[in-house]
Amino acid sequence: MLQTPSGGVGHGTAADSGLMSIGTVLNVLRDEFPEVTISKIRFLESEGLIEPQRTPSGYRKFSAGDVERLGHVLRMQRDHYLPLKVIREHLDAMERGEAVPLPVLGRQGDGEAVPEAPGGPTAARIGRAELLAAAEIGERDLKEWESYGLIAPLADGVYDAEAVTVASLIVELGRFGIEPRHLRVMKAAADREAGLVDQVVAPLKRHRNPQTRALAEARTKELAGLTVKLHAALVQTALGVRLP
């Protein structure tokens, strides 16, 4: 459960009403979702997942309910691979008081959600225009990042939803003068780490027992989490810093 402060600080925040600025919301969410960005929050708003209030000057003001709903959205994306349309419909039904089970979805060619296929669930996908809008970047930026292998479309031309996070982080690093071409070494390291995890879970994926094959996904998530933590710890040790 997300813990929300009784009041935020900074512009766009009304401490006496318990409303929070987008920066305060970001700090609250990052306890559970370290990779969430302001761009991702704005994108979810543009998709109708949340409707924060606005000050006369246009600043967003989020209630505790908005933050809780954001947490549900991010959790369903992370844990259940659900497309935003399905998440929105599910949450709207819950708000109407309907007892609705959490859908389990897979993929079909036109990108619509369908019941999960025997091959297992797949990550939510977004189109190119959706990615550009969510990351607030231009076509030239995306083409450059694709040329360096930092972002790549899937076979049918759409993108894994995690591409939004990658794009947002590239933008943030760029503000410090780190150019996309400098990030190729990070992409290469990530590919090597992913390859190591694949080697470990490959025997499970090839197993005849469906339950054993299903275990491969859980094991992949567990190993991915451990490798990310190790990578972060090694970088912090190399730089002599400790992140909060």
Side-chain angles (χ1 to χ4, degrees):
M1 185 71 64
L2 290 169
Q3 298 296 318
T4 56
S6 58
V9 293
H11 60 243
T13 302
D16 57 345
S17 62
L19 297 177
M20 291 166 274
S21 69
I22 194 169
T24 302
V25 172
L26 184 67
N27 290 333
V28 171
L29 291 172
R30 276 183 169 166
D31 288 342
E32 183 178 354
F33 309 99
E35 296 183 349
V36 70
T37 63
I38 287 179
S39 294
K40 179 67 176 287
I41 296 174
R42 289 172 177 163
F43 170 64
L44 293 176
E45 178 189 357
S46 71
E47 290 295 303
L49 273 301
I50 53 168
E51 296 181 4
Q53 300 179 38
R54 296 273 186 161
T55 66
S57 55
Y59 291 119
R60 296 170 176 84
K61 297 194 299 182
F62 296 80
S63 67
D66 292 328
V67 179
E68 191 70 20
R69 186 177 171 98
L70 272 171
H72 286 311
V73 172
L74 295 170
R75 205 170 291 115
M76 283 191 278
Q77 280 191 305
R78 180 193 65 194
D79 299 341
H80 301 285
Y81 308 100
L82 297 178
L84 295 181
K85 176 182 178 181
V86 176
I87 293 175
R88 181 171 55 248
E89 292 173 351
H90 179 74
L91 292 179
D92 289 345
M94 289 179 60
E95 289 187 352
R96 292 193 299 269
E98 301 175 11
V100 289
L102 188 67
V104 180
L105 304 175
R107 172 193 300 177
Q108 68 180 21
D110 60 4
E112 292 297 321
V114 296
E116 181 183 339
T122 182
R125 305 181 305 165
I126 62 174
R128 191 176 186 88
E130 194 176 17
L131 173 57
L132 293 173
E136 299 180 351
I137 59 174
E139 181 69 32
R140 179 180 299 179
D141 295 316
L142 183 54
K143 286 183 177 180
E144 179 187 8
W145 301 350
E146 287 177 330
S147 71
Y148 293 130
L150 300 174
I151 294 178
L154 302 174
D156 50 3
V158 297
Y159 297 81
D160 186 297
E162 195 64 25
V164 176
T165 299
V166 174
S168 298
L169 290 172
I170 294 173
V171 170
E172 291 187 27
L173 288 169
R175 297 193 180 105
F176 294 89
I178 300 178
E179 299 179 14
R181 58 189 176 89
H182 299 144
L183 302 177
R184 287 180 294 183
V185 63
M186 299 178 68
K187 178 61 167 62
D191 289 341
R192 288 194 296 269
E193 292 167 6
L196 179 60
V197 172
D198 282 338
Q199 288 180 23
V200 174
V201 300
L204 298 176
K205 291 181 178 179
R206 294 194 298 264
H207 204 280
R208 293 182 179 180
N209 188 324
Q211 292 182 338
T212 303
R213 292 199 300 271
L215 176 63
E217 181 184 355
R219 187 63 53 82
T220 299
K221 288 183 179 180
E222 182 179 6
L223 288 171
L226 290 172
T227 56
V228 168
K229 289 180 180 179
L230 175 60
H231 182 90
L234 291 173
V235 171
Q236 292 181 62
T237 299
L239 294 174
V241 299
R242 180 175 294 277
L243 300 180

